[in-house]
Amino acid sequence: MFDPSVAKKAVLTMPSGEDVKYTAYENIFYVTNIKDSVYQTLNIYVPEILNRGDSTPVFLRTYIGGYMATTAKSPSASDATGRALKEGYVVCIPGSRGANSTITRDGKTIYTGIAPNGLLDLKAAIRYLRYNDNLIPGSAERIIIDGTSAGGAMSALVGTTGDRPEYDDFLRKMGAAQTSDKVFASVCYCPIADLNHADMEYEWLYGCTNTGVRHLDADQITISDELAAECPAYINSLNLKDDAGNTITADNYKDYLKTFLIASAHKALEEGCEIPDTIGIIRYADRPDFGGRPMRTANGDVERRMRVPEGDGRGAPSFGPAGMRPRFSNNTDYVTGIDLDLYLNYVASVTPLKTPPAFDQYGVLLDTPTPENSVFGDEEGTPANFTDFSLRHRLRDNDATLGEDMARRVFVMNPMNFISEGAPSVAPHWFIRHGAKDRDTSFLVPVNLATKLKNSGFDVNFFLPWNRPHSGDYNLDDLFGWIDRISR
Ligand code: DHB
């Protein structure tokens, strides 16, 4: 039970100099069967002035990164937690186990955070908040989870799997509160999700760089090509639809992806960003054939008043923030298209790409495990494959398949498996961001997640912010404007 008397008063000084007064409740165990006392705790921070009284949302930030463990933390003036507190939201920052958390039992090292334990910890923390909702200020019916990268994937998982029976037995054994773990909203920055398809999605997209900027050797190209060849069937199996209801297939997928990148570049231009001519963004100036004609205005300036071209640039999906659909103003060149291969080569030149397989790498061409191989490993710390593709390569056995237990662990760690029309396990509101030059995973991962959610009837705010590398908790005005709107 939550004990409101164990509190301390504190002040957070924001970058503006403003002081935010709050009450802290810290080091609270959220399960009764504690496996790892370093990580299975949460902290709660209650601002002096609550945004919406009893119905104030709880902003739950996970600091999971790299699928590693994280301790419960206190709010930081320089990220979304400080901003949330300043805006009057209750803030919860749970710890959780991960790929690197260990305990020693009978002289043996035991890895406590193998998948799906980190996710289970977040669910248990949410159940704790709901179980104690009458004692904790704010409303556990309005939990907004926020995470970046592996934490973004966890946010997507929490947001898609509320009260799903697949997790019940685990949660019961952990001594998690017997209540709901649904959330109200999920904020996902660059989610490293869909892990068991991420390798094929990476190679299918970035294959155009293999012999150029990526400098792959012959063995790597073979792996890249094999993986890429598996992707079209996966894309087609998703049966995604664009805004107009057209089916997205592997054949037209790249045109669909382009609409998001075009919208991103266009917004950047409108905001005054310079975009080099060499990276594949095609603007009016590059495409005089569209029939627009620069006109002299009264003061002698050139005004580009355009007919809206067919095709590229118009089809930007409508589910971004205001302004995401290109607004063809007079004072900016507008983006008419994108040379995707050129743009992807540019992305790969900014930050070298991962080598194939990008995620399930262990034992294919290299023996080194990725963080993903470690989190799917066993309690002794031995890494494991989580795709048939890499397992077959490592074992040199074309018939090898993941065992039943591993297949189940992989299943419960993929948010895509839990999204369907009106699914009660899915949070109603979604805010998804992935930088337009973030190469940590393929653009297909966030695009598919956002599209599947949108197609299933959920409220999705999705954008690929221009010139943004792998990062999170940026453009906080944008995020907190959205949070304000969904909480009204
Ligand atoms: C993270 C980044 C990665 O590239 C990855 O594969 C897994 C996690 C991260 O930043 O959390």
Side-chain angles (χ1 to χ4, degrees):
M1 267 309 205
F2 178 72
D3 180 358
S5 70
V6 188
K8 75 177 195 228
K9 301 275 180 199
V11 174
L12 186 70
T13 304
M14 299 301 290
S16 63
E18 182 184 345
D19 280 341
V20 181
K21 293 184 184 153
Y22 64 94
T23 308
Y25 306 89
E26 296 178 314
N27 303 314
I28 301 167
F29 290 108
Y30 51 70
V31 288
T32 54
N33 183 9
I34 300 156
K35 275 276 154 46
D36 202 323
S37 57
V38 177
Y39 297 110
Q40 292 182 294
T41 73
L42 59 77
N43 296 341
I44 297 169
Y45 301 95
V46 180
E48 194 170 54
I49 303 159
L50 284 178
N51 180 301
R52 289 174 201 283
D54 282 348
S55 56
T56 296
V58 179
F59 187 79
L60 187 150
R61 169 69 149 96
T62 168
Y63 282 99
I64 292 174
Y67 284 98
M68 298 300 160
T70 173
T71 53
K73 297 215 179 341
S74 49
S76 160
S78 60
D79 73 14
T81 56
R83 174 67 180 259
L85 212 53
K86 178 182 110 76
E87 303 265 341
Y89 297 106
V90 174
V91 172
C92 173
I93 310 181
S96 50
R97 297 167 294 171
N100 58 341
S101 54
T102 59
I103 54 170
T104 308
R105 196 193 291 146
D106 304 329
K108 268 181 48 187
T109 300
I110 296 171
Y111 283 76
T112 58
I114 61 173
N117 292 355
L119 171 61
L120 297 172
D121 284 349
L122 292 174
K123 286 175 154 298
I126 288 158
R127 287 178 172 213
Y128 180 91
L129 295 176
R130 191 172 263 105
Y131 188 77
N132 292 288
D133 201 15
N134 289 336
L135 301 170
I136 302 171
S139 172
E141 298 309 319
R142 295 180 141 212
I143 293 171
I144 299 166
I145 183 169
D146 168 38
T148 295
S149 194
M154 290 296 190
S155 186
L157 276 160
V158 166
T160 49
T161 65
D163 296 346
R164 285 287 304 209
E166 288 85 347
Y167 307 86
D168 262 357
D169 280 349
F170 299 109
L171 287 162
R172 192 171 306 115
K173 285 184 191 133
M174 289 164 65
Q178 289 298 306
T179 182
S180 167
D181 50 53
K182 281 191 201 175
V183 293
F184 174 64
S186 175
V187 176
C188 313
Y189 285 97
C190 50
I192 302 287
D194 201 9
L195 292 176
N196 50 315
H197 303 107
D199 289 329
M200 62 178 81
E201 296 178 304
Y202 205 79
E203 299 312 317
W204 186 76
L205 188 67
Y206 284 112
C208 61
T209 69
N210 283 355
T211 53
V213 61
R214 203 178 181 192
H215 295 301
L216 295 190
D217 65 27
D219 289 343
Q220 291 172 320
I221 287 176
T222 303
I223 295 295
S224 175
D225 289 347
E226 285 178 21
L227 280 164
E230 294 193 359
C231 195
Y234 175 58
I235 292 174
N236 294 339
S237 77
L238 292 172
N239 195 25
L240 300 176
K241 304 271 194 276
D242 70 11
D243 258 13
N246 304 308
T247 302
I248 300 161
T249 65
D251 292 335
N252 61 22
Y253 193 96
K254 283 180 181 161
D255 291 330
Y256 182 62
L257 170 60
K258 282 181 184 183
T259 64
F260 293 96
L261 291 166
I262 289 169
S264 175
H266 187 85
K267 185 160 184 277
L269 286 177
E270 284 211 325
E271 289 167 357
C273 294
E274 300 273 334
I275 297 182
D277 291 336
T278 49
I279 67 170
I281 302 301
I282 303 164
R283 305 173 225 185
Y284 163 70
D286 309 324
R287 295 284 291 272
D289 51 304
F290 274 127
R293 184 165 286 142
M295 296 185 301
R296 292 274 161 209
T297 60
N299 63 9
D301 288 338
V302 172
E303 187 182 76
R304 302 191 192 286
R305 184 166 292 152
M306 302 294 302
R307 286 214 305 272
V308 174
E310 297 297 316
D312 283 350
R314 281 201 84 183
S318 62
F319 57 101
M324 175 172 164
R325 186 184 285 279
R327 285 173 284 131
F328 301 117
S329 60
N330 291 337
N331 57 359
T332 36
D333 289 346
Y334 72 81
V335 180
T336 59
I338 179 167
D339 178 333
L340 191 61
D341 284 5
L342 195 55
Y343 183 72
L344 294 169
N345 273 273
Y346 156 73
V347 172
S349 74
V350 177
T351 312
L353 296 179
K354 299 178 177 187
T355 55
F359 297 91
D360 194 357
Q361 164 181 287
Y362 173 57
V364 180
L365 294 172
L366 299 169
D367 288 331
T368 7
T370 59
E372 290 82 2
N373 290 128
S374 300
V375 84
F376 281 111
D378 65 19
E379 286 196 340
E380 279 85 59
T382 308
N385 292 114
F386 49 91
T387 61
D388 285 344
F389 180 93
S390 293
L391 183 72
R392 286 171 188 177
H393 278 271
R394 183 166 65 84
L395 300 180
R396 299 180 186 287
D397 172 359
N398 279 337
D399 299 321
T401 50
L402 299 180
E404 204 177 308
D405 184 57
M406 181 60 77
R408 188 182 48 85
R409 288 170 68 196
V410 172
F411 185 86
V412 300
M413 285 296 287
N414 191 333
M416 297 293 283
N417 293 328
F418 301 94
I419 305 167
S420 59
E421 202 168 322
S425 69
V426 179
H429 303 289
W430 290 80
F431 186 93
I432 304 172
R433 293 290 181 275
H434 182 102
K437 64 175 186 189
D438 182 345
R439 63 23 126 201
D440 273 53
T441 194
S442 169
F443 293 120
L444 276 69
V445 171
V447 167
N448 293 345
L449 176 66
T451 305
K452 192 165 184 188
L453 286 162
K454 176 90 193 312
N455 289 173
S456 302
F458 300 100
D459 167 35
V460 183
N461 184 309
F462 176 51
F463 200 63
L464 305 177
W466 184 252
N467 203 28
R468 184 48 76 176
H470 192 62
S471 51
D473 277 15
Y474 46 76
N475 293 352
L476 293 181
D477 289 349
D478 193 18
L479 173 62
F480 280 88
W482 178 80
I483 290 176
D484 184 56
R485 288 194 297 279
I486 62 164
S487 347
R488 273 198 194 145

